[in-house]
Structures are given as C-alpha cells and as structure tokens.
Amino acid sequence: MKTRNLPGTLWLFLCIIGFTSCGNDTDEKTIYPLSFEKEYYEVPLSGRKVISVRGGNRDYAVTVEKTDILDATVDLSSPVGMGELVIMPKLKGETTLTVTDNRVNETVKLKIKVTDSYLVYAIRESNHPALSQGVMVYLIDNEAKDCYFFRSTTSENELITQGTYEFSVRLEAGGSAPGITHAIPYLTLNYASDEQDKFTNAAIPPAPHPLRLELFDGVTDAKAVIYIIQKCLGVDWEKLAKGETVKSTKSSAVVPPTLKTTIDDTNYVITGTLNITPAIPENILE
C-alpha cells in the first residue's frame, strides 16, 4: 500500500512547491503606478524641498523645464519607501518637472514654484493680546517687507491678517559704564490693531508695533538669532547700527534659536523661535 501511495504523495508535494514558486514570481514582478501626493509644490528661494514619491518602482529620471530656476535630483539612499525628489532653487519663478519611471515608462509632470525666502517667528509664550501663543509671523524677504500673521490650528494654519515689517537699531547708554552705548535691535511689525492691541479687520491704517529683541537676558540665543535674520532676510546690521557692533558671527546651532521680545513701556513679553519652517501655506506668495 505504501508503495502504491508514494506517487500521489510526491505529486501533491510538487504541486505545493509549484504554487509557492508562482506566488513568489508574482510578488517580485509587482508594478506600482508612479504617483505623488499632489501636482503643485512651492519652495522658498533660500531653502530646499524634499518631495516623497508616493508610488513608483525606484528607478526614475527627472527633467527640469527651466534649469535656471531650480535643480532636481533623485534620492534613493533610504531602503524604505519609493524614493524622493530633492529640489534646490536658484531663482524665483515657476517651472515643470517631468518625472519618468524607467521600469514602466510612465511619466508624471509636477509644477514647482520658487517663492521669496522667509523667516518664521513662531510664538510659544506670550501675554500680548494679538501676538499670542500659537501665532506665527512670516517675515518675507521681498522689497515690500511683507509679513503674514497665521494662527496654528490642529488641521491647518489660518491667516489672521497681513502687514509689513522693518528691522532697526537703537543706540542706548551703557548704564553703569558712562560713555558706552549699546546697539539694541528692534523688529517693528506694522498691522491694524484696536485700542486693546488686538488684531482688527477695521478699515484703519496699520500701526507700528516695535518689538525689542532681548539679546542679553539669557533666554534669547543672541548669536544664532542675529545670524539667521541676516542670512535669511539680508539685514545689514552694521549699516543699521551706524558703526556700533551688533555681533552676527556664524552660528552652529542645529535647533531653531529662541527669541524673546518685549515692547517698551509695557509689560508685554513674547517668546518664540526663529526658523524657516513650517512652510507658509501655498498660493500666498508670488
């Protein structure tokens, strides 16, 4: 009996192996359609952007329509995921990226817009009626010195209002050291406010709100703050200080520097961080 059953057992064993092998071949030949989260992206001139490939086969070619505006490369260094595109801006403007999946010869076009650079003052603690916790002030590096005020929410950033900004330096006496003056940087935010210093939508002219940069109280990372403002917004501290020293040596800080500001003749204290992120919502900047 055992001898007669052996061929049937062997046949069943070979069938199992055959089905298993077929399954492995199918897995190895799985094709993923080329796709991205969206078709339009923005990147500030002073930064870079990493765009994740949502679907694809890790073999891509990228062509830039206008190479004077940006460079784009493929990054497959991570073994996880479908790969990334790295965008390095060179000039303001719009262009199109053509991304091709070489394995399936599938193509997707992405529109990329390079905008003005900006710096974000993200407020963490504050007793100010308008510049309160959760408000993000976007300082735009353009000729008009535009700034945008957003409130951070759980789902998205809500635009509060728009204004302008200006940096300046005031010279103050050195207190216990007669004849010595100190250069004190100020950030003036110009926006419409009511009698309680709150934002208002009323049709009134913007009012100046000068914020004193508290560089010497141990809270502000003074060196990093001065440097990042100079680097991202092109502020010429030496010119503003009229010969006095406002140190702007390069900082090696790897975390966003803390900035504490106050408003003269009030008890307002505003503390936050300066950074180039989070990105300003799209379709705001030119």
Side-chain angles (χ1 to χ4, degrees):
M1 294 292 292
K2 292 182 180 179
T3 303
R4 288 196 298 270
N5 287 338
L6 183 59
T9 303
L10 179 61
W11 179 84
L12 179 61
F13 177 70
L14 292 175
C15 285
I16 293 173
I17 294 177
F19 282 124
T20 302
S21 299
C22 290
N24 289 339
D25 290 342
T26 302
D27 291 340
E28 291 176 358
K29 295 180 181 179
T30 299
I31 299 298
Y32 299 96
L34 180 61
S35 63
F36 296 84
E37 180 184 1
K38 51 188 181 178
E39 297 178 348
Y40 173 79
Y41 296 88
E42 290 184 358
V43 54
L45 183 58
S46 65
R48 71 169 195 162
K49 192 173 190 68
V50 176
I51 301 175
S52 297
V53 182
R54 187 169 64 178
N57 301 283
R58 295 180 62 86
D59 183 4
Y60 314 111
V62 181
T63 303
V64 181
E65 176 192 20
K66 300 176 182 177
T67 56
D68 59 325
I69 291 179
L70 59 84
D71 289 328
T73 59
V74 177
D75 183 2
L76 300 175
S77 58
S78 174
V80 180
M82 301 297 184
E84 297 173 330
L85 303 182
V86 180
I87 309 301
M88 300 297 294
K90 299 190 289 186
L91 186 70
K92 277 184 60 180
E94 294 188 22
T95 188
T96 299
L97 296 188
T98 301
V99 186
T100 302
D101 188 323
N102 295 322
R103 183 172 178 186
V104 294
N105 198 30
E106 185 178 6
T107 296
V108 170
K109 292 184 180 295
L110 304 176
K111 180 176 287 188
I112 310 294
K113 180 179 180 179
V114 178
T115 68
D116 288 309
S117 304
Y118 52 80
L119 196 57
V120 190
Y121 187 22
I123 300 174
R124 297 184 317 211
E125 299 178 19
S126 173
N127 61 353
H128 192 280
L131 305 173
S132 55
Q133 180 181 357
V135 170
M136 294 184 293
V137 184
Y138 286 81
L139 308 172
I140 313 303
D141 183 22
N142 61 7
E143 187 175 355
K145 302 298 180 187
D146 292 318
C147 67
Y148 295 85
F149 301 84
F150 283 84
R151 188 174 304 281
S152 178
T153 65
T154 55
S155 58
E156 59 183 9
N157 294 328
E158 173 189 357
L159 179 62
I160 303 171
T161 191
Q162 179 182 355
T164 60
Y165 73 93
E166 181 182 9
F167 283 97
S168 60
V169 172
R170 300 181 187 179
L171 303 181
E172 296 185 356
S176 59
I180 301 299
T181 58
H182 295 285
I184 308 300
Y186 278 77
L187 165 62
T188 299
L189 302 175
N190 303 298
Y191 59 87
S193 60
D194 60 20
E195 295 179 354
Q196 287 76 42
D197 290 328
K198 296 181 179 179
F199 292 118
T200 179
N201 293 324
I204 59 176
H209 300 79
L211 277 59
R212 178 189 178 104
L213 278 60
E214 299 291 350
L215 301 182
F216 310 109
D217 64 351
V219 175
T220 297
D221 187 347
K223 182 186 296 186
V225 163
I226 293 300
Y227 175 72
I228 196 173
I229 292 173
Q230 177 177 289
K231 182 176 185 295
C232 295
L233 301 178
V235 174
D236 188 339
W237 292 113
E238 184 175 352
K239 182 178 179 181
L240 291 178
K242 298 179 181 178
E244 296 294 330
T245 300
V246 178
K247 293 183 178 180
S248 59
T249 55
K250 186 173 181 179
S251 170
S252 59
V254 294
V255 296
T258 296
L259 171 60
K260 175 182 173 181
T261 59
T262 59
I263 297 181
D264 293 343
D265 302 320
T266 74
N267 65 345
Y268 293 146
V269 179
I270 305 160
T271 304
T273 57
L274 283 179
N275 202 358
I276 59 174
T277 59
I280 193 169
E282 293 175 349
N283 299 309
I284 296 289
L285 301 181
E286 295 182 356

